[in-house]
Amino acid sequence: MISPDLPITKSTEDTLNRGSFAKSLAKTISQYSFSSSFTIGLYGEWGSGKTSLVNMVLESVEDIDKNAVIVRFNPWLCSDPKQLITQFFKQMATAIKLKKPSAEKAWKLIDQYADIFDAASLIPGAGPIVAAVGKVLAKRANKRVEQRSKNLQESKDQIINKMIEENLKIIVSIDDIDRLSEEEIISVFQLVKALADFPNTVYILAFDYDVVVHALSKVQHGDGKEYLEKIIQVPFEIPAPNLANIHDAFFSKLNSILGDIPEERWAKTIWAELFQFGLQKYIKSIRDVIRYTNVFLLKYELLKDETDPVDLLGLTSLQVFEPSVYSKLPSYKDTLCGSNYDYSYERQKADEEKVKQAISLLMPNDGTIANWEAANNILGILFPRMKTATGLSYSIGRNYSKRDFFINNNIAVPECFDRYFALALENDAIPTTAIKRLIYESNENELNEGIIQLYEEGKIIRLLEEKEAYANREHSVVIPTERASLIITALTRNWSSFEVDDRGFFSIPFVWRLRFCVDPLLKAMDLISRFSCIRSVFEDKNVQPSTLALLLQDFETQLGRFTEHASSRDDAIFSLEEVLELEAIFKSRAVDAIDSGAALRQHQGLNFLWLLGQIDADFVANKKKLLVSDDVSLVKVVSYCTSRGTMAAKMVEKTRNVNRETIGEFIDVNEAYRRIKGFSVTSQFFSLPKDDQMNAIAFILITERTPSVPIMENCIAEDAIVKALNQLEKESVNE
């Protein structure tokens, strides 16, 4: 719940252990009885708890003396100094009327006393009040006002006598005096000193000492301190709150916000370091606690499941106490996120220099940083990449782990960084609750539908990254064998339908992501269960041979088969005997796909040929000639021999790379060119999937290149392919 930045109103809300002082002061006030007024000054800076202390004192007074008249006067309610004195006496008269109706004569006299000032429309700006009234009234007021002003002292004397007669005890509190204008501050003290110095009346004035002395000095010839000492009989300097009590209040508030957060979501050590080396340097008052926790509560409620709570606490400290640093952070995402580790010493040093430069820009030495050391430490703890540059000890903070940080939604992960500032998930992000439901709870149909939906939303790579992270995470909830098997089955059944453009100099090939997910899921199973699971996948008619080839090639490589490094890895998932059994199943499935023509009807349906050729070279050699028996099949073969890429020249371009040497293993390249060239102008050609059309045109354009054209091996820009394809389509429509 949002906490208003308001003072406490009763001692039961006291978190700073000031209740005993308030009770002692209240006891002294209640015992006071003199013929003149008595003034107590409570001095404290803004946010020191003056108002809360006054409220507790008045509460205790009411408990001790039921007959005391309490007047809580707020000068802020007055629009100008001319109203201030009138409203003060009106409020005092009302308080007496409500508390002691029998003292009718007293409150009526005070009410009439107020009318004198209201009628005169006069509040003195300086000097003795009576003299100032006389001077102005002599010039402006009418005869009725002149008569009243002449009797001002007489009216005051009548009030004093009546108050003594009625045995009235009045306690007046005037707070926030230091927040008034200088003219209003002067009026308040002249009111207490000259106009309302009634018997048995105690004034409790709360203000910032330096502010008030400065204001009074302007009318006391530079000696506001001496003037104040004449008015305040008992001054109390409110001591700074005990930091331990403030921090206890802070922790209590955070506990109420975070609730019973699961232990695995709470990085206890990191939180301790954030508080010890950063946050505690900012939390110095209850007002700081309220400001900070209000902001944190709003952010946490919006994204409690999608951010790391400790990271959010650290970032919020910069937002509240170092806004100039916080506002710049989004511009330094690439520098802040990720790891500073690099295999090259030179590159690592260059990266460290880049980070140091960023820190100098984020936190310039220009007076805008409230606490440079604290802000520096918080950055180093939140962002491991900044650790060395901030000078943080190696024993403080954490090392960057992409998988763990990704699952925890840490701010140092590029994929999660933006949400901490936008307070909304990134466009490609998947809610944590949805990910956990897919991994741990959904049934077969829900899992399958969820995967397809996320693919259609363009989030399949994010889903695979999440699954991989959960499968590899050491301290996460173990994925049960039956759940792991269900996930592997759902992924492999849908894999051949995923069309993902993974081009980019820093992109991970999409085909790798299947084994990144499957391998750790299999390793989490016992030996019998893992082979049973993968065997059922290889026998599943809903899993395409091209998908099986991706898995089998991974298992073969782990054993050193069909690779340059002919050595088996210690962590190989399957034994040679098991892999040979999978080979036999794969070969049978691949042969069926070729003979039935199913392989040619599927997206990238021939992508298993290379691995099949490693297992049975003669069989594949014989089948290759049969695979180009018609033009549609020939286009499919060309697609099999074409890959996508990216080229950087004056600008980054997407390309297609046609391996004409591999095409030559199926058919003479020139014959293939003639057939596809003729086929490309038919309506049947334009009924093929767009990807197959693009690959066929890429083959034609590369083959037609003249010697004068700079040859980029077998590579051509996609823009040229699209242009040629559009022209062909336009010509076919016109015909």
Side-chain angles (χ1 to χ4, degrees), residues 451-518:
I451 290 173
I452 293 174
Q453 180 181 345
L454 290 172
Y455 167 69
E456 292 174 348
E457 292 175 358
K459 299 179 179 180
I460 189 63
I461 290 180
R462 187 60 174 263
L463 172 64
L464 295 171
E465 289 176 336
E466 295 273 10
K467 286 183 179 291
E468 176 197 346
Y470 273 94
N472 279 287
R473 190 184 186 194
E474 294 180 3
H475 305 295
S476 63
V477 177
V478 176
I479 300 176
T481 295
E482 62 274 14
R483 295 299 308 171
S485 180
L486 197 64
I487 293 169
I488 291 173
T489 300
L491 284 176
T492 52
R493 283 181 174 179
N494 288 286
W495 192 263
S496 61
S497 64
F498 297 152
E499 297 185 38
V500 177
D501 190 345
D502 57 358
R503 285 173 289 184
F505 294 111
F506 306 104
S507 298
I508 296 175
F510 182 71
V511 293
W512 292 7
R513 295 186 182 276
L514 179 62
R515 63 182 177 86
F516 287 168
C517 288
V518 171

Side-chain angles (χ1 to χ4, degrees), residues 276-399:
Q276 178 69 27
F277 300 109
L279 192 49
Q280 74 163 337
K281 301 179 188 298
Y282 296 115
I283 303 296
K284 299 177 180 178
S285 69
I286 292 298
R287 179 165 277 119
D288 292 332
V289 172
I290 292 172
R291 288 175 60 213
Y292 177 88
T293 54
N294 280 347
V295 174
F296 176 72
L297 173 62
L298 286 174
K299 299 180 74 155
Y300 184 68
E301 286 298 319
L302 286 170
L303 281 175
K304 64 171 61 176
D305 295 323
E306 311 303 335
T307 55
D308 179 80
V310 173
D311 282 7
L312 194 61
L313 285 164
L315 184 68
T316 303
S317 65
L318 296 179
Q319 181 178 357
V320 175
F321 303 112
E322 302 286 5
S324 64
V325 176
Y326 175 83
S327 63
K328 297 174 188 174
L329 291 178
S331 301
Y332 290 86
K333 175 181 177 179
D334 293 341
T335 304
L336 295 167
C337 294
S339 172
N340 65 342
Y341 177 78
D342 199 290
Y343 290 103
S344 165
Y345 175 81
E346 290 75 16
R347 288 182 60 182
Q348 185 166 334
K349 285 300 179 182
D351 186 75
E352 289 178 4
E353 288 302 317
K354 178 182 178 182
V355 173
K356 288 180 180 178
Q357 183 179 7
I359 291 176
S360 66
L361 295 173
L362 279 168
M363 300 194 298
N365 188 21
D366 59 0
T368 60
I369 309 301
N371 191 310
W372 196 95
E373 181 185 5
N376 181 70
N377 290 340
I378 290 171
L379 285 176
I381 294 171
L382 289 180
F383 302 100
R385 193 177 183 186
M386 312 287 283
K387 188 173 176 179
T388 302
T390 55
L392 215 59
S393 168
Y394 282 104
S395 62
I396 299 173
R398 53 199 165 181
N399 294 321

